[in-house]
Amino acid sequence: MELISATVNTMKSRTLPFEECVIMPIGDIQYGTDACDIDRLRRHVEWGAKQPNVYFLGMGDYCDFASGSERRNLASIAESLHDSGQDAIHGAAAYLLESLQEILEPTKGRWLGLVSGHHFWKFPDGATTDTRLAAFLDCPFLGDY
């Protein structure tokens, strides 16, 4: 995960009657790997959630459960697994997603939408970790990038 912050100098608009808002794009979290700095993500989310007029935009790769090639490999052996083995894989993806949802919960209802990345898991009901995350955050799923 890479977070970039910048100081933005603003001034009162002379032409627009609207209040300023801040859009915080969040993506490439890779939650579930050593590359994810969970403490930094928590601080980032908590700061944004405390600010008035802050909205979030999801940029993909939220949970790093499986890339496209990994999903293909798992699908090729899935039929040879017992139901309990398949359930364990789906359960692990669901658990990872639920852990991420706990971190993002303070931002519910403040997301403009989520696009999909290439790291996600597809569940038997056709939903993915990305579509379930969008539903949890009360925002539209915007599709593939």
Side-chain angles (χ1 to χ4, degrees):
M1 172 179 67
E2 180 178 347
L3 295 174
I4 299 172
S5 61
T7 303
V8 178
N9 298 320
T10 62
M11 58 185 257
K12 186 173 181 174
S13 174
R14 295 181 183 165
T15 58
L16 297 175
F18 307 111
E19 285 188 46
E20 174 186 279
C21 74
V22 174
I23 298 174
M24 293 178 64
I26 296 180
D28 207 23
I29 296 172
Q30 306 289 342
Y31 190 80
T33 68
D34 291 338
C36 178
D37 187 340
I38 296 171
D39 291 332
R40 189 172 184 182
L41 175 63
R42 283 186 195 279
R43 289 191 312 269
H44 185 71
V45 165
E46 287 171 2
W47 181 88
K50 290 178 184 176
Q51 307 306 312
N53 298 322
V54 168
Y55 299 93
F56 299 88
L57 180 63
M59 305 301 291
D61 289 351
Y62 314 103
C63 289
D64 192 4
F65 188 76
S67 67
S69 60
E70 292 167 331
R71 284 191 306 278
R72 284 188 295 279
N73 289 338
L74 286 168
S76 71
I77 65 163
E79 291 181 11
S80 65
L81 296 175
H82 292 285
D83 289 346
S84 60
Q86 293 179 26
D87 291 346
I89 293 171
H90 297 305
Y95 177 79
L96 190 66
L97 176 60
E98 289 166 8
S99 298
L100 178 59
Q101 288 171 339
E102 287 179 20
I103 295 171
L104 299 179
E105 187 167 14
T107 65
K108 275 179 90 166
R110 296 176 68 181
W111 288 77
L112 302 174
L114 272 71
V115 298
S116 183
H118 68 286
H119 288 266
F120 61 86
W121 184 251
K122 187 172 183 178
F123 295 99
D125 65 359
T128 67
T129 49
D130 293 352
T131 59
R132 286 186 179 182
L133 182 59
F136 173 80
L137 294 171
D138 297 327
C139 71
F141 176 68
L142 303 173
D144 295 333
Y145 58 94

